[in-house]
């Protein structure tokens, strides 16, 4: 509950700075994930180590801050595999909802400038290595 209280107390500017979008979008995402979580657990089952809010924050930390799963798992006190499963579940759920989607590769290429760099190798002439140079035989005078 502490995380929920902390997020509720954030100003609009601070919220935008931390998560990268407005609070209304965050609320929509949270509702979609809560609905999917309830649907998956209608018949019972093992409770998750992370709440739905924490799962959304994990996903956003991974995307916004580029934190590794190892660091996120340490911060939440769960295993790295739990974080990996959480990210995949949240991504899939949000994409399947139809309200959120990742741009396709074609769309990203249209928006980005493409720079080609010629990095082909050039042969360099080097002196031949002979047995005498390699083994440095002692010269007797």
């Amino acid at each position: 509950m502490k995380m929920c209280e902390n997020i509720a107390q954030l100003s609009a500017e601070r919220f935008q700075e931390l998560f990268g979008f407005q609070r209304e979008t965050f609320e929509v995402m949270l509702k979609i994930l809560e609905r999917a979580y309830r649907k998956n657990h209608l018949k019972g089952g093992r409770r998750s180590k992370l709440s739905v809010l924490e799962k959304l924050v994990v996903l956003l930390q991974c995307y916004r801050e580029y934190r590794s799963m190892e660091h996120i798992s340490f911060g939440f006190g769960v295993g790295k595999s739990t974080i990996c499963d959480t990210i995949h579940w949240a991504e899939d759920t949000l994409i399947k909802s139809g309200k959120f989607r990742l741009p396709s590769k074609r769309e990203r290429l249209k928006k980005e400038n493409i720079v080609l760099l010629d990095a082909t190798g050039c042969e360099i002439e080097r002196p031949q290595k002979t047995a005498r140079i390699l083994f440095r035989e002692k010269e007797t005078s």
Side-chain angles (χ1 to χ4, degrees):
M1 274 304 166
K2 186 166 174 75
M3 183 178 292
C4 187
E5 294 167 2
N6 289 343
I7 291 174
Q9 292 175 357
L10 292 174
S11 67
E13 295 82 23
R14 181 76 173 137
F15 191 91
Q16 174 80 26
E17 184 179 309
L18 286 175
F19 296 112
F21 45 81
Q22 296 177 354
R23 191 179 304 269
E24 292 79 22
T25 307
F26 184 85
E27 295 296 330
V28 170
M29 293 170 99
L30 187 60
K31 286 179 184 177
I32 290 169
L33 293 177
E34 285 175 343
R35 194 177 313 124
Y37 184 80
R38 273 188 261 118
K39 185 178 178 183
N40 290 345
H41 291 83
L42 280 176
K43 296 182 182 179
R46 188 174 186 180
R47 294 188 61 184
S48 177
K49 294 178 183 178
L50 299 172
S51 69
V52 178
L53 175 67
E54 290 173 331
K55 290 181 180 193
L56 180 57
V57 171
V58 163
L59 176 70
L60 297 176
Q61 281 184 355
C62 182
Y63 279 159
R64 180 81 170 157
E65 301 171 12
Y66 299 110
R67 291 178 66 193
S68 68
M69 291 182 195
E70 190 71 36
H71 287 101
I72 295 172
S73 67
F74 179 76
F76 283 91
V78 295
K80 186 176 161 185
S81 62
T82 303
I83 297 299
C84 183
D85 293 342
T86 297
I87 291 170
H88 286 293
W89 175 79
E91 283 176 344
D92 293 343
T93 304
L94 291 173
I95 290 170
K96 286 179 186 175
S97 73
K99 293 187 178 185
F100 302 97
R101 68 179 183 87
L102 296 173
S104 69
K105 188 174 182 179
R106 181 175 292 156
E107 290 172 358
R108 284 184 283 143
L109 288 176
K110 286 181 182 177
K111 293 179 183 177
E112 297 175 4
N113 293 331
I114 298 174
V115 177
L116 297 176
L117 177 66
D118 182 15
T120 55
C122 298
E123 290 187 27
I124 299 174
E125 246 184 79
R126 298 176 191 240
Q128 298 252 339
K129 294 182 181 177
T130 61
R132 190 176 61 122
I133 294 173
L134 290 175
F135 296 114
R136 298 259 176 197
E137 296 175 11
K138 288 186 181 178
E139 294 180 12
T140 56
S141 38

